[in-house]
């Protein structure tokens, strides 16, 4: 039997019953970042998820056309969630026109999602440089080699650019921070914590920023 003869998979028939335990308002700490830290710790140390810091970053350009991609979260605190990218990339171009962004952490094995909606601003160059220095040597060179989101003639072009940089900056030699590369910090305006429940009656609790700097929590129907 070949792949061509195989019975096609039916997405509508794929069902999994989620957990009985839920998420209650009384379970939540005062801030969404504290709750995120709790769930993030469980995803990383208890569920042992592969790259629990992977998140889907959704942006839209000035005309409202959306685009999404998976990016790695590199830090978070009460000021926001930080990731790094090429400032010439599509996501960065979108954010220059429209700073509103959505972050989605899809922790499927735990039947959990976290959705952050907020405003993205560039990190300072000192913060960017400090993070850049923690990257492996090859990743530092990669930030220079790739003109992210631009059309290239083929893989050979990318490999040649990397090889040239590797010759210029061999292992152990300091690589300068690219001026076109840096971070974005997403300051949250709302953060939803989604816990899968039985019979698709999921728990959805959302923190919404208040004008006084605090947060209110609201429950959303699934």
């Amino acid at each position: 039997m070949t792949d061509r003869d195989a019975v096609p998979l039916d997405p509508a028939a794929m069902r999994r019953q989620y957990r009985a335990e839920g998420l209650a308002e009384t379970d939540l700490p005062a801030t969404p970042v504290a709750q995120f830290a709790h769930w993030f710790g469980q995803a990383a140390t208890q569920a042992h998820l592969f790259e629990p810091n992977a998140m889907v970053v959704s942006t839209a350009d000035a005309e409202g056309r959306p685009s999404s991609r998976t990016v790695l979260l590199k830090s978070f605190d009460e000021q926001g969630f930080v990731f790094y990218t090429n400032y010439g990339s599509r996501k960065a171009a979108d954010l220059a026109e429209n700073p509103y962004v959505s972050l989605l952490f899809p922790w499927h094995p735990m039947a959990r999602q976290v959705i952050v909606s907020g405003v993205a601003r560039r990190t300072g160059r000192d913060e960017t440089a400090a993070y850049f220095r923690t990257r492996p040597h090859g990743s530092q060179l990669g930030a220079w080699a790739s003109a992210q989101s631009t059309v290239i003639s083929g893989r050979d072009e990318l490999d040649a650019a990397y090889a040239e940089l590797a010759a210029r900056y061999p292992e152990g030699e300091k690589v300068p921070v690219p001026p076109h590369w840096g971070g974005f910090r997403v300051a949250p305006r709302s953060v939803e914590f989604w816990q899968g429940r039985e019979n698709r009656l999921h728990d959805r609790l959302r923190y919404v920023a208040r004008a006084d700097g605090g947060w209110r929590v609201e429950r959303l129907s699934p």
Side-chain angles (χ1 to χ4, degrees), residues 50-155:
F50 177 72
E51 292 191 328
N53 59 327
M55 58 186 183
V56 179
V57 177
S58 297
T59 58
D61 63 18
E63 297 178 5
R65 293 172 297 193
S67 61
S68 299
R69 75 289 291 160
T70 301
V71 176
L72 296 179
L73 175 74
K74 289 304 177 181
S75 67
F76 66 92
D77 56 25
E78 293 294 339
Q79 280 65 55
F81 300 80
V82 177
F83 65 91
Y84 292 85
T85 188
N86 187 308
Y87 285 146
S89 66
R90 179 175 178 179
K91 72 179 83 62
D94 283 354
L95 292 173
E97 297 178 336
N98 177 0
Y100 294 97
V101 63
S102 175
L103 313 177
L104 167 64
F105 295 85
W107 296 329
H108 302 306
M110 304 176 72
R112 286 178 176 174
Q113 300 180 73
V114 180
I115 305 168
V116 179
S117 297
V119 176
R121 296 284 184 265
R122 291 188 181 191
T123 58
R125 294 309 293 173
D126 288 346
E127 183 176 356
T128 289
Y131 169 69
F132 187 80
R133 296 289 165 228
T134 70
R135 288 166 62 91
H137 181 73
S139 296
Q140 292 181 1
L141 297 179
W144 278 101
S146 172
Q148 194 176 86
S149 300
T150 61
V151 176
I152 58 177
S153 60
R155 178 75 196 193

